[in-house]
Amino acid sequence: MTRTDVRYGRLSDNRDYEEEIEQIRRYEDFTTIDWIQDSIVERNRRIRNAKALRDAYRGPRGEITPAWVWAQFWRFIGAGEPWLVISLVGIFIGVNAALISIISEWLSDIKMGYCADGWWLNQQFCCWEVESDEEFCPSWHLWSTATPARWFIYVMFAAIFSFVAAHLVRSLAKYAAGSGISEIKCILAGFVMQGFLGYATFFIKSLTLPLVIASGLSVGKEGPSVHVACCIGAIVASWFQRFSRSQGKMREIITAASAAGVAVAFGSPIGGVLFSIEEMSQMFRIKTMWRSFVCALVATFTLSVMNPFRTGKLVLFQVTYNRDWHFFEIIFFIVLGIFGGLYGAFVVKFNMQVAAFRRKHLATHGVAEAVILATLTAVIGYFNRFMRIDMTEMMSILFRECEGGGDHDNLCQMAVQWPMANSLLLATFIRMGLVVISYGAKVPAGIFVPSMAVGATFGRMVGIMVKAIYRAYPQSGIFAVCDPDVPCITPGTYAFLGAAAALSGVMRITVTVVVIMFELTGALTYILPTMIVILVTKAVGDFLGTRGIADETIRFNGYPILEKEEHGIDVSVSEVMKKDLDILFASGMLVSDVERLLESTNVKGFPIVTSESSRTLVGYLGRTELRYVLDKAQNMDVSPNTPCAFTRQASDQEDFVLSDMTSGSALGVEEEVARELIETSASIDVLKLWPWVNQTPLTVSPRLPLEIVMQLFKRMGPRVILVEEHGLLKGLVTVKDVLRFNATEEPVGDLQWDRGELEAILDVMWNWAIGVAQTSMEWCRRLIRR
């Protein structure tokens, strides 16, 4: 790509480069939260409240009065308010998760038949007294005894469910589509997306999620469950003024809600907390961790009390293993880890290509796309025993031990082990392709459970093969450690570990997956195999340069967020900063001049300098604060020719504003105090705007490396950083400027694969994996025949 000078913003005539810059300009659609400003406002509010409690209600000699006791009581209530909010959020999340699980199970079963004892009962509750899956259930009636008719009804229900879900999303809540995890990561990083966590999104996503799951689309409910949980957190927090007026406190509740969403999705409260730390938040405080833990605990407890499956399990695929593993199985665990890494690279790569095709050709056909995908999935999947049933039910079957009710549909029978392995391999690759084309459709769609389902079918196939080898050569030295009285190989554990590998490969999370899998099984003995599998998966993903599907979605959609591990280019901030700035002068400007400046620009704030010639930096004033003051002043008939003062003069009283306003804006004061300031300013010949000026903005030297500036953005969260040298303003830089620059440059020191090279590596490794699987199965068949 040719360009004259990218670093200084001069564009070339290259059309590809112009299209790239046009994509980056989408960042301008987002509003950024200034976390430093938010902290200052919160600090001033806390100081005022503490001073009011300390000074008010005391007697003339400082004695305790009933009013003071009453104030202390309300202070105690205020201290417990966050825990009340966290508890309410957890309760509502647990109730919502239970209802979604119950409705999803009923809708999934209604495609196959109905219960004669009550139309509202799913197959499990209808056949509650039937002890095994093979036993006939007289209360459950299939829609037809003819296979073609059953197939047609199955496909028809899938199409209807997907149509209703997609239509409701398109008509009532467009933000209800997708997983939502990528957007929540951006929100927690400080970007405002109006309506994404609102009432409409919550109700529509909660209503359509069971429909999508029942339609059979290869998408999951766990990612959308996190989005729904965050909606609940934002809605409940908005009922309390303490959280609704503070962006930082609101996001603490949203972070805790995301932990609770994962906790109820997997029955894993600690795994949910770790997920919020590892995946969701860029900066995580101990206080937030405790609140996340309490919220996850309350949500999980509520789900347990409701007991949606009437089995005592929090999730359908929860399982317990009684047997230990053997060290020779590590070889096969490594194979599962390699598969997880390859699966993640494959899905992320091709799903982004499908997303690009969807954006270009299917942007206005979301409903039709969802219906076609659901119909295609139903048509193909009906004839495969592992794709016909719900994915969570399928995993619960594949995870079980063969002994003790795990022989579902002859899954453990030696006579049909090779047809069963073929069916599992076919389900693996079909499901993989369906995940690639289905994730991102305009319906609530997650990727957690579909990925786990892919890994479970592949892992169970590997487990069957290993078990076949053991039965063919029980006296081999590799199996010498096996007790002849106890089954040596447990294929269900391979399905379990394969699910963990696939989930880790596509999401690029590690510790969280280990803890979730431990809490699902409750078996300490399988922590080490899980860690081995996840370690291999991560190594393969790192080698291929794979990013998590959520991070790739953020990049694809152009969401402005600096990732935790993103590194800057080896340049100084002077090569990235904006130099042509809209500025305010400390004196000499009229109200009409400021109004014209606001009308002619859409920037979020203005640096203030002494004069056009000296450009000595005085402070920074946000657009919101400036517009706020001018609107209030106009209501009091301030003349457009009134001079504006942005710096405090010697004649101004020191107690004009609160004592702690020198490092922040006065927008954080109470409404009546702010109005008093404006009235006082407007009563004289000059409109004094200096109380709203941030006189100590964050500044850096133009020679500071860009990577250090990125660390300041990630750790302190300012909206803007001013660049000054010896007191003179040189420019400013924002997160969007950094992202624009990084998008046009290749990071130094990072391993980057050319697109063709990456495709070649993926193709070779994928063909190798398929070849190994086919060769191993043929080898095992020959061993058995001998």
Side-chain angles (χ1 to χ4, degrees):
M1 182 180 295
T2 60
R3 51 182 181 269
T4 56
D5 193 344
V6 175
R7 293 181 177 179
Y8 289 92
R10 293 193 293 271
L11 301 181
S12 70
D13 295 332
N14 192 295
R15 292 190 62 182
D16 292 337
Y17 179 71
E18 291 178 355
E19 291 176 0
E20 185 178 19
I21 292 299
E22 185 62 30
Q23 292 294 322
I24 300 172
R25 285 174 184 162
R26 288 177 294 166
Y27 292 149
E28 304 295 342
D29 294 336
F30 291 81
T31 302
T32 310
I33 296 172
D34 192 327
W35 291 117
I36 295 180
Q37 184 69 18
D38 187 74
S39 300
I40 291 172
V41 172
E42 185 61 30
R43 170 182 175 271
N44 292 332
R45 185 180 294 120
R46 187 173 63 251
I47 291 175
R48 288 194 307 273
N49 293 339
K51 187 175 184 298
L53 285 173
R54 184 175 63 252
D55 297 340
Y57 310 120
R58 286 275 189 171
R61 292 187 297 273
E63 67 273 13
I64 296 177
T65 63
W68 183 87
V69 173
W70 183 249
Q72 296 304 314
F73 170 76
W74 281 109
R75 180 182 181 184
F76 175 79
I77 295 297
E81 187 179 49
W83 302 107
L84 173 63
V85 174
I86 288 294
S87 300
L88 289 176
V89 170
I91 291 172
F92 292 148
I93 290 174
V95 172
N96 182 264
L99 293 176
I100 289 177
S101 296
I102 293 171
I103 297 173
S104 298
E105 287 297 314
W106 179 75
L107 290 175
S108 297
D109 289 343
I110 206 69
K111 294 190 299 182
M112 303 298 298
Y114 64 95
C115 183
D117 295 340
W119 60 267
W120 59 89
L121 296 177
N122 62 21
Q123 187 174 3
Q124 178 188 4
F125 288 104
C126 185
C127 305
W128 187 257
E129 297 181 355
V130 178
E131 297 181 357
S132 65
D133 297 332
E134 289 77 15
E135 188 175 345
F136 175 72
C137 178
S139 299
W140 184 256
H141 293 235
L142 298 176
W143 289 113
S144 174
T145 56
T147 300
R150 289 202 306 268
W151 173 80
F152 176 78
I153 295 173
Y154 180 89
V155 174
M156 182 187 66
F157 270 116
I160 292 173
F161 291 160
S162 59
F163 172 79
V164 173
H167 183 71
L168 288 175
V169 169
R170 186 187 66 176
S171 304
L172 301 177
K174 63 177 182 178
Y175 282 142
S179 171
I181 290 180
S182 302
E183 291 81 358
I184 293 170
K185 289 182 67 173
C186 293
I187 290 174
L188 293 178
F191 292 88
V192 177
M193 299 178 67
Q194 297 292 343
F196 190 80
L197 300 177
Y199 285 93
T201 304
F202 164 67
F203 284 114
I204 296 302
K205 197 152 194 171
S206 298
L207 180 63
T208 56
L209 186 54
L211 290 170
V212 173
I213 300 304
S215 72
L217 279 170
S218 291
V219 296
K221 66 179 181 179
E222 279 63 26
S225 294
V226 175
H227 184 190
V228 170
C230 291
C231 289
I232 293 174
I235 291 171
V236 173
S238 66
W239 299 343
F240 298 83
Q241 188 181 29
R242 178 175 183 174
F243 297 95
S244 61
R245 65 184 182 183
S246 172
Q247 296 288 353
K249 291 184 180 298
M250 174 66 78
R251 275 154 179 76
E252 288 180 1
I253 301 299
I254 295 175
T255 302
S258 69
V262 174
V264 295
F266 292 101
S268 173
I270 299 180
V273 175
L274 289 176
F275 177 82
S276 64
I277 296 175
E278 185 176 2
E279 179 69 9
M280 302 303 292
S281 295
Q282 289 192 320
M283 299 298 293
F284 205 91
R285 297 190 297 173
I286 297 297
K287 181 176 67 173
T288 306
M289 184 184 71
W290 276 111
R291 290 180 177 177
S292 300
F293 177 75
V294 172
C295 190
L297 180 64
V298 172
T300 308
F301 176 77
T302 303
L303 182 63
S304 178
V305 170
M306 294 194 69
N307 195 12
F309 305 111
R310 292 298 185 268
T311 60
K313 296 180 178 180
L314 297 178
V315 290
L316 194 60
F317 49 87
Q318 195 170 352
V319 67
T320 301
Y321 295 121
N322 299 319
R323 291 195 292 270
D324 204 346
W325 57 281
H326 306 91
F327 279 99
F328 70 83
E329 294 181 276
I330 291 179
I331 300 173
F332 306 105
F333 297 161
I334 291 174
V335 172
L336 296 178
I338 294 174
F339 170 80
L342 292 174
Y343 167 79
F346 176 85
V347 170
V348 171
K349 169 181 163 47
F350 289 103
N351 180 256
M352 290 299 102
Q353 294 183 359
V354 172
F357 177 84
R358 180 180 288 118
R359 171 179 289 173
K360 185 176 181 180
H361 300 286
L362 303 176
T364 59
H365 305 286
V367 176
E369 179 195 5
V371 173
I372 291 173
L373 286 174
T375 304
L376 178 65
T377 304
V379 169
I380 297 175
Y382 183 82
F383 299 100
N384 186 289
R385 71 190 79 190
F386 299 109
M387 296 192 62
R388 184 167 56 243
I389 58 178
D390 180 69
M391 286 181 287
T392 55
E393 183 181 355
M394 181 205 71
M395 284 193 292
S396 70
I397 293 170
L398 296 180
F399 287 176
R400 297 176 195 165
E401 296 178 347
C402 284
E403 297 73 19
D407 189 15
H408 176 82
D409 198 13
N410 297 322
L411 182 62
C412 299
Q413 298 300 316
M414 287 185 60
V416 293
Q417 61 183 353
W418 297 119
M420 195 67 65
N422 289 331
S423 181
L424 287 166
L425 183 63
L426 185 64
T428 298
F429 288 105
I430 293 177
R431 179 84 69 188
M432 195 181 306
L434 292 174
V435 168
V436 168
I437 63 176
S438 299
Y439 182 70
K442 299 302 180 183
V443 292
I447 202 170
F448 283 29
V449 162
S451 296
M452 294 177 68
V454 170
T457 52
F458 181 82
R460 186 75 187 214
M461 181 199 70
V462 173
I464 290 175
M465 293 167 57
V466 176
K467 189 173 183 178
I469 295 173
Y470 167 71
R471 286 180 172 175
Y473 295 96
Q475 304 302 324
S476 175
I478 193 175
F479 302 121
V481 295
C482 295
D483 187 346
D485 298 327
V486 178
C488 182
I489 305 299
T490 305
T493 61
Y494 288 79
F496 169 79
L497 295 173
L503 176 58
S504 177
V506 77
M507 290 299 297
R508 301 291 288 152
I509 52 179
T510 53
V511 180
T512 300
V513 176
V514 174
V515 174
I516 286 176
M517 291 302 177
F518 163 66
E519 291 187 276
L520 280 175
T521 61
L524 287 170
T525 54
Y526 280 91
I527 286 184
L528 182 57
T530 308
M531 294 175 67
I532 293 173
V533 168
I534 299 303
L535 179 63
V536 175
T537 300
K538 185 180 187 307
V540 173
D542 290 344
F543 174 76
L544 296 175
T546 308
R547 295 179 181 270
I549 189 73
D551 295 332
E552 286 294 343
T553 303
I554 289 173
R555 287 180 170 236
F556 178 80
N557 290 327
Y559 296 146
I561 179 175
L562 290 174
E563 300 172 11
K564 294 180 182 179
E565 300 178 357
E566 186 167 2
H567 301 290
I569 316 299
D570 188 19
V571 298
S572 63
V573 68
S574 61
E575 301 189 41
V576 184
M577 68 183 185
K578 292 180 180 176
K579 298 180 181 180
D580 186 15
L581 305 178
D582 297 295
I583 58 177
L584 297 170
F585 301 112
S587 59
M589 297 190 72
L590 305 178
V591 170
S592 58
D593 298 329
V594 178
E595 288 283 4
R596 281 195 296 271
L597 181 62
L598 287 173
E599 292 175 359
S600 62
T601 65
N602 58 358
V603 296
K604 300 300 181 182
F606 304 91
I608 303 172
V609 297
T610 53
S611 64
E612 187 172 4
S613 58
S614 68
R615 293 180 70 90
T616 301
L617 183 63
V618 173
Y620 183 85
L621 181 58
R623 183 188 189 93
T624 304
E625 289 87 341
L626 185 58
R627 183 75 271 169
Y628 173 82
V629 177
L630 291 179
D631 289 344
K632 294 295 183 181
Q634 286 178 354
N635 294 335
M636 292 178 282
D637 298 327
V638 174
S639 171
N641 297 322
T642 303
C644 298
F646 295 96
T647 57
R648 181 186 295 189
Q649 305 299 321
S651 59
D652 294 326
Q653 296 294 327
E654 293 295 326
D655 58 349
F656 186 77
V657 292
L658 300 176
S659 59
D660 286 319
M661 280 297 150
T662 57
S663 60
S665 82
L667 195 60
V669 304
E670 303 298 338
E671 177 70 20
E672 60 270 15
V673 178
R675 184 172 182 83
E676 182 181 349
L677 294 178
I678 296 172
E679 290 175 350
T680 307
S681 300
S683 64
I684 54 180
D685 296 333
V686 177
L687 180 61
K688 298 176 182 178
L689 292 164
W690 56 262
W692 283 266
V693 173
N694 182 358
Q695 300 177 26
T696 57
L698 184 60
T699 61
V700 297
S701 168
R703 292 183 295 276
L704 190 69
L706 177 61
E707 189 163 357
I708 305 301
V709 175
M710 293 174 64
Q711 293 297 324
L712 290 175
F713 276 120
K714 286 188 282 189
R715 297 183 181 184
M716 300 186 66
R719 175 181 293 169
V720 61
I721 296 179
L722 302 180
V723 182
E724 57 92 18
E725 187 173 25
H726 305 300
L728 301 179
L729 178 66
K730 296 296 182 181
L732 63 80
V733 62
T734 65
V735 172
K736 298 170 187 177
D737 298 324
V738 175
L739 290 169
R740 290 189 190 98
F741 186 80
N742 284 351
T744 58
E745 296 289 336
E746 293 294 334
V748 176
D750 286 352
L751 179 63
Q752 296 293 318
W753 293 94
D754 178 75
R755 180 173 179 176
E757 294 176 348
L758 180 58
E759 289 182 356
I761 291 173
L762 281 174
D763 290 340
V764 170
M765 298 189 71
W766 198 252
N767 291 332
W768 170 82
I770 296 175
V772 168
Q774 293 176 344
T775 304
S776 300
M777 291 180 64
E778 183 61 29
W779 180 59
C780 292
R781 286 195 187 99
R782 292 178 180 178
L783 288 176
I784 298 302
R785 290 170 184 169
R786 291 180 184 177

